[in-house]
Amino acid sequence: MIDFGRMITAMVTPFNDQGKIDWDQTASLIDYLVEEQQSDSLVVSGTTGESPTLTDEEKLELFAFAVKHAAGRCKIIAGTGSNDTAHSVHLTREAEKCGVDGILLVAPYYNKPNQEGLFRHFEAIAAVTSLPVIVYNVPSRTVVSLSVETTLRLAQIPNIVGTKECAPLDQVAMIVAQAPEHFKVYSGDDASALPAMAVGAYGVISVASHVAGRSIKEMVAQFFNGNVERANQLHRELLPLFKVLFECPNPVAVKYALNETGHPVGTVRLPLVPPSEQEAQRIRSFLK
């Protein structure tokens, strides 16, 4: 069973001035996230990577490029989820050919499937790959929410190995209490990462780790080493940054923060837009 580690970064996709993928900066960003920010794994072309605006060709190029450039220094998880099951099946098959280590599947958005539809969606995609799969429950973005019961049904599928949860903490706790031992729950919300670990989450799939990865890594390590007060202190110190990074639609703020700290990842693709001057000032005020 692959261990993706306790701090996974949902990586942004760097763009150049023409709005195309900037491959040199993608390489630099991977180096930075692994070597300086200490990410255990990277999610490539997840929603933080602006997957809705990436073509399939761009996604597959990103998967192959990340695998080659990471060169075993971290695990690469491909974001292949969408609201079209057949499309996600196809992209997942192709991603596996690129040599990625795992798959992240966001819950279908807009369609509003019921719980049986959600189960069958993830079941169908998991069935076409031998790779470990993490499902992603983010009700604020998708309008639908995987229930505890549906998540536990999915956990019985051998290669569905975890969930990225943005549901309330009681749901995290109930999943942890009843899921198989191999099934890991990751917080999908930086601000809730420590509280989620307190009720049994394994780690965090983070956005803020682009700019505060070392501190988040220490917070997680201190918690699991039993130094809860130090973990709490780090959480309190990081909380204002966590909050400001999500005052704009993700990944607007984190891309701006990266640009401001010497990592030129470019802007976002429409329909997202750069931060307003007021928002930019707020973000800058929290950068060290």
Side-chain angles (χ1 to χ4, degrees):
M1 189 69 66
I2 292 178
D3 186 352
F4 293 111
R6 295 191 186 274
M7 190 187 78
I8 300 170
T9 297
M11 192 179 84
V12 303
T13 301
F15 298 129
N16 60 25
D17 292 342
Q18 289 74 48
K20 305 294 185 181
I21 295 174
D22 187 324
W23 296 107
D24 288 341
Q25 289 304 323
T26 300
S28 295
L29 182 62
I30 291 170
D31 293 340
Y32 165 72
L33 292 175
V34 173
E35 296 168 9
E36 294 189 41
Q37 299 295 1
Q38 303 180 344
S39 300
D40 297 314
S41 298
L42 302 176
V43 175
V44 177
S45 182
T47 46
T48 299
E50 299 176 74
S51 57
T53 68
L54 295 173
T55 66
D56 281 3
E57 291 74 20
E58 287 175 319
K59 291 176 184 180
L60 294 174
E61 283 187 86
L62 275 168
F63 301 153
F65 183 91
V67 168
K68 182 176 180 180
H69 192 77
R73 292 175 294 162
C74 69
K75 301 293 191 295
I76 300 298
I77 303 169
T80 61
S82 73
N83 64 346
D84 176 356
T85 306
H87 182 204
S88 294
V89 163
H90 166 74
L91 195 58
T92 299
R93 283 192 174 115
E94 295 303 308
E96 183 164 4
K97 296 175 186 176
C98 295
V100 299
D101 300 291
I103 299 294
L104 182 72
L105 299 174
V106 68
Y109 38 86
Y110 189 81
N111 315 48
K112 296 182 72 174
N114 62 17
Q115 293 300 310
E116 185 61 24
L118 289 169
F119 175 80
R120 293 190 191 184
H121 172 82
F122 291 117
E123 178 189 42
I125 303 166
V128 303
T129 181
S130 62
L131 293 173
V133 172
I134 299 171
V135 300
Y136 179 16
N137 188 37
V138 55
S140 66
R141 293 275 187 140
T142 63
V143 189
V144 294
S145 182
L146 278 164
S147 68
V148 172
E149 293 74 19
T150 301
T151 303
L152 293 172
R153 282 181 73 193
L154 290 167
Q156 301 303 315
I157 297 172
N159 66 324
I160 296 185
V161 300
T163 179
K164 176 183 177 184
E165 274 295 333
C166 294
L169 287 177
D170 58 346
Q171 179 152 327
V172 172
M174 287 187 284
I175 294 169
V176 170
Q178 300 173 71
E181 187 176 348
H182 78 275
F183 188 83
K184 294 178 171 60
V185 178
Y186 287 91
S187 172
D189 172 35
D190 284 297
S192 300
L194 186 61
M197 289 186 289
V199 297
Y202 185 76
V204 59
I205 299 180
S206 174
V207 172
S209 54
H210 283 89
V211 292
R214 282 179 175 266
S215 296
I216 296 169
K217 191 77 176 282
E218 183 187 354
M219 179 186 74
V220 173
Q222 294 288 356
F223 176 81
F224 284 105
N225 287 335
N227 301 320
V228 176
E229 184 48 48
R230 175 59 178 158
N232 285 337
Q233 179 187 359
L234 288 163
H235 170 74
R236 290 191 295 269
E237 291 172 358
L238 288 164
L239 196 56
L241 175 66
F242 293 161
K243 294 295 188 182
V244 79
L245 288 179
F246 287 92
E247 288 180 5
C248 307
N250 188 48
V252 170
V254 74
K255 275 194 149 181
Y256 182 83
L258 283 164
N259 288 324
E260 287 293 302
T261 53
H263 305 281
V265 296
T267 188
V268 287
R269 284 180 173 175
L270 286 169
L272 297 179
V273 295
S276 67
E277 183 50 40
Q278 183 179 12
E279 290 167 336
Q281 287 179 358
R282 284 267 301 153
I283 297 164
R284 288 195 300 271
S285 72
F286 287 98
L287 298 177
K288 295 180 181 179

